[in-house]
Amino acid sequence: IEEYILEEVKDFFQKVEIDLDIHKDQLKYQKIITEKDFKDSEKVKISYFYENLFYDLGDREPNGKLKAKIKWGITFDEKCAPIHLGYVDPSFRGYNKNLKIQYKDSQGRPYRRYGTIDINGSPVFYYIYFTLQEILDVIK
């Protein structure tokens, strides 16, 4: 299943045109951050976020600007993945009403859903949505 997830994540980042090392930048499953972590500050200290997500935010570019180091993890919670990755035909120019954003591939499967944690409007973490059924189908 790990190979399947990594291949799907690689495909996802290619579609959103982000170049990263998917093996190196994955937040391990036992470190995942959930919606509850943001609401229940008594249970999860802010240091947890720094130790697991923000400890290596990125490198400085020659102009001094911080180049964020993007991380990712999987989620089974649709609330963590409100954004639908769609497909727009490269020939679409805005005036052809027959060409629209497609949210399902040619086999009827939905394109990947995702969500982000942003700093100053730039994503530093991607939640990539998988369904439990999808995972079970791959295992079978």
Side-chain angles (χ1 to χ4, degrees):
I1 193 64
E2 190 70 22
E3 287 178 31
Y4 172 77
I5 289 172
L6 291 173
E7 191 60 38
E8 288 294 308
V9 169
K10 180 180 174 184
D11 184 53
F12 168 82
F13 282 113
Q14 285 175 343
K15 285 181 178 149
V16 295
E17 298 181 351
I18 295 175
D19 182 32
L20 63 105
D21 182 343
I22 59 170
H23 299 282
K24 187 175 151 194
D25 298 323
Q26 177 183 14
L27 191 62
K28 297 302 176 198
Y29 306 123
Q30 67 271 25
K31 305 283 186 186
I32 288 299
I33 297 166
T34 66
E35 178 183 4
K36 186 177 179 184
D37 296 333
F38 289 102
K39 292 181 178 178
D40 197 351
S41 61
E42 300 242 347
K43 287 194 172 198
V44 179
K45 302 286 184 213
I46 194 69
S47 62
Y48 177 84
F49 294 97
Y50 287 106
E51 291 166 3
N52 294 295
L53 188 59
F54 303 129
Y55 67 93
D56 61 344
L57 276 178
D59 301 315
R60 294 274 175 201
E61 294 178 350
N63 64 3
K65 187 176 178 183
L66 181 68
K67 181 178 179 188
K69 185 175 188 179
I70 297 171
K71 295 187 175 94
W72 66 274
I74 68 169
T75 184
F76 297 111
D77 185 352
E78 290 182 357
K79 288 182 180 179
C80 292
I83 305 165
H84 290 264
L85 180 63
Y87 172 78
V88 179
D89 190 292
S91 63
F92 180 67
R93 298 291 179 262
Y95 53 82
N96 185 343
K97 301 299 179 201
N98 293 329
L99 296 174
K100 297 181 180 178
I101 295 176
Q102 299 171 9
Y103 290 101
K104 293 188 177 182
D105 66 14
S106 60
Q107 297 169 336
R109 297 176 302 215
Y111 284 109
R112 191 69 53 207
R113 292 174 62 134
Y114 70 99
T116 62
I117 295 176
D118 299 356
I119 293 181
N120 290 334
S122 296
V124 294
F125 182 80
Y126 281 81
Y127 286 104
I128 302 175
Y129 178 73
F130 287 83
T131 67
L132 288 175
Q133 188 62 51
E134 172 184 12
I135 299 300
L136 290 173
D137 288 347
V138 172
I139 292 170
K140 291 178 191 177

